[in-house]
Amino acid sequence: PCSSPPRSLLWALPEELLLLICSYLDAQALGRLGQVCRRLRFLSSRDLLWRRIARGCLNSGFTQLGTDLAAGIPVKERVKVSQNWRHGRCRKETVLKWKCNLMPWMELDGEYLYLSQAENIQAYRLCPEDTGLQCHPQAVFSGHQEDVCRFVLVNSHIVSGGGDGNIILHKIHGSYSVKFSAHEQEVNCVDFQGGLIVSGSRDRTAKVWSLSTGRVGQCLHTVQTEDRVWSIAISPLLSSFVTGTACCGHTSPLRIWDLESSQLLTCLGTDFNRGAGVLDVFYETPSLLLSCGYDTYIRYWDIRTSTRKCVQEWEEPHDSALYCIRSDKNHMIASGSSYYGVVRLWDKRQTRCLQSFHLSSPTSSPVYCLRFSTTHLYAALASALHVLDFTA
């Protein structure tokens, strides 16, 4: 009788050693290995093997420090989708339209998209199987007498600033809300961290507000910025905040203030042109900060090395103002331009734009806000919300 074939010596090795051997393979080799047999397909699909590869990819859910922002989604699948981001392969869809032009803002929490439309903020449930949203909002948060300028979503709370000069705090799950008069003119920007709200206004002030028990809505500090404040963000360390202003005077439009005392800590940059206002700022880490605005540049600041000069910058190729930026906290930046709804993707390791998407031709509209997950990018324009689906 024929004897059974000898058992492969490969499977005599401990799993730890097999994983170590596989860790030297690149993405293509791992993919081919998985086609050999079921056992190798299982082995070669382990998150442990793909994590190193994913950290070098665009928008794969890993920060520079290795933190996984998309736990629960197989890393191998994220690497596949990352190639679509790099090569611009996506399906475009307009999912919401409104009749009059607005300046919408939005936030994502994984299950819902929150979108400001005029004086309200509406919550739309995301449909994970496609690019759409549910037709009708699941909840509406109201209270402003004029349009919502900006809002943030933190710890199941929405904090919004409006053209009426008011700030409103909403609890998402419940009817609790607090409204207080904050500024003499529009509240252009807000942020909320660690029980404190910071706000910036056209009235040329930034303010710090308490949300502690018994002191809700009490102004702790008022900063005279001498310029209209367009953007604001609290440092992840909760020790300071940055303001982006209109740059109509002779001071830097990017300044960092102590959160406890409101004293000026430092100015970023020395060579801004007059009118080069900063429209959006984004902290990646306590020391790494992105900014963009009217002068068409994205700037990357490392506060540990220099406050006088950014460590890297990218110029918008069509000389358009940049209304908004976002990053995956690793290699990718997404920016929204002022003309024809142009969204651009950037790889920090390159100097030129990686991909461009035109969303509003032939009518021109800025991209007022954009947000993205590992699979979808949402861009809010003057009259519509567009979605790019990179799983296609």
Side-chain angles (χ1 to χ4, degrees):
C2 296
S3 60
S4 59
R7 186 171 181 264
S8 171
L9 294 177
L10 179 68
W11 301 119
L13 297 174
E15 184 178 283
E16 294 81 1
L17 189 54
L18 288 172
L19 289 172
L20 177 62
I21 294 169
C22 291
S23 69
Y24 290 96
L25 303 179
D26 60 17
Q28 187 178 41
L30 276 175
R32 289 174 176 171
L33 184 65
Q35 296 174 357
V36 174
C37 66
R38 289 182 182 178
R39 195 168 179 182
L40 282 174
R41 185 190 311 155
F42 174 76
L43 183 74
S44 64
S45 297
R46 297 281 291 273
D47 281 357
L48 182 66
L49 297 175
W50 288 92
R51 188 179 297 268
R52 171 185 56 84
I53 297 169
R55 289 183 65 176
C57 294
L58 291 184
N59 196 28
S60 61
F62 289 93
T63 68
Q64 286 185 2
L65 301 177
T67 305
D68 191 348
L69 302 177
I73 304 174
V75 180
K76 180 181 178 180
E77 296 305 314
R78 287 188 252 164
V79 171
K80 289 181 180 179
V81 175
S82 173
Q83 296 306 307
N84 292 338
W85 286 88
R86 172 165 291 282
H87 298 293
R89 294 190 293 258
C90 65
R91 180 163 57 96
K92 302 178 188 178
E93 186 176 340
T94 303
V95 291
L96 287 177
K97 289 185 177 180
W98 40 92
K99 294 181 180 179
C100 57
N101 284 350
L102 303 172
M103 297 177 65
W105 198 254
M106 64 180 164
E107 294 288 353
L108 284 174
D109 75 347
E111 190 176 355
Y112 288 91
L113 181 144
Y114 296 83
L115 178 72
S116 66
Q117 294 172 282
E119 67 274 13
N120 296 323
I121 299 169
Q122 301 181 345
Y124 293 89
R125 183 182 288 275
L126 299 171
C127 299
E129 67 277 1
D130 56 33
T131 60
L133 308 174
Q134 286 193 346
C135 296
H136 302 288
Q138 298 287 300
V140 178
F141 303 93
S142 57
H144 286 286
Q145 302 304 310
E146 296 185 30
D147 288 2
V148 174
C149 297
R150 298 243 180 135
F151 69 94
V152 290
L153 174 66
V154 179
N155 297 332
S156 297
H157 289 81
I158 293 175
V159 175
S160 60
D164 54 7
N166 294 326
I167 290 175
I168 299 181
L169 169 71
H170 292 284
K171 189 170 179 61
I172 292 176
H173 306 292
S175 57
Y176 173 81
S177 66
V178 176
K179 176 180 178 179
F180 53 92
S181 179
H183 290 270
E184 296 178 2
Q185 297 183 47
E186 299 99 308
V187 182
N188 290 325
C189 48
V190 290
D191 199 5
F192 169 41
Q193 298 285 343
L196 294 174
I197 295 173
V198 292
S199 61
S201 171
R202 182 181 284 270
D203 67 8
R204 302 186 177 193
T205 65
K207 296 186 178 184
V208 181
W209 307 88
S210 172
L211 287 182
S212 60
T213 304
R215 303 179 69 187
V216 175
Q218 179 180 339
C219 182
L220 302 179
H221 303 289
T222 299
V223 175
Q224 301 295 331
T225 60
E226 303 172 7
D227 234 337
R228 291 163 291 174
V229 185
W230 293 131
S231 54
I232 204 162
I234 298 175
S235 163
L237 290 179
L238 307 182
S239 58
S240 61
F241 66 95
V242 61
T243 55
T245 56
C247 200
C248 293
H250 301 287
T251 55
S252 166
L254 268 177
R255 283 171 283 178
I256 297 177
W257 312 82
D258 184 86
L259 194 55
E260 185 175 348
S261 67
S262 78
Q263 296 299 308
L264 178 64
L265 296 177
T266 187
C267 296
L268 298 183
T270 58
D271 57 352
F272 287 97
N273 296 322
R274 187 178 178 87
V278 175
L279 296 175
D280 201 7
V281 289
F282 179 72
Y283 270 106
E284 287 193 337
T285 71
S287 55
L288 296 174
L289 176 71
L290 283 162
S291 67
C292 71
Y294 283 117
D295 70 349
T296 78
Y297 279 91
I298 300 170
R299 289 186 170 89
Y300 198 38
W301 305 89
D302 188 339
I303 301 169
R304 298 167 301 183
T305 59
S306 173
T307 58
R308 295 178 59 83
K309 188 172 178 59
C310 64
V311 294
Q312 210 167 350
E313 62 183 19
W314 300 269
E315 185 177 10
E316 212 287 332
H318 290 167
D319 202 32
S320 300
L322 294 171
Y323 273 58
C324 53
I325 48 171
R326 208 71 177 176
S327 92
D328 66 352
K329 297 187 177 182
N330 196 359
H331 300 301
M332 192 184 84
I333 301 172
S335 64
S337 303
S338 59
Y339 295 127
Y340 297 106
V342 175
V343 171
R344 301 193 194 278
L345 302 183
W346 308 78
D347 187 332
K348 292 178 187 173
R349 297 163 294 189
Q350 300 179 15
T351 55
R352 293 185 178 182
C353 166
L354 189 65
Q355 298 293 340
S356 298
F357 306 95
H358 296 254
L359 303 178
S360 73
S361 179
T363 13
S364 181
S365 167
V367 178
Y368 287 111
C369 184
L370 59 80
R371 295 290 184 267
F372 57 81
S373 64
T374 55
T375 55
H376 294 78
L377 185 145
Y378 302 84
L381 279 64
S383 60
L385 176 68
H386 300 267
V387 182
L388 305 180
D389 178 5
F390 289 88
T391 62

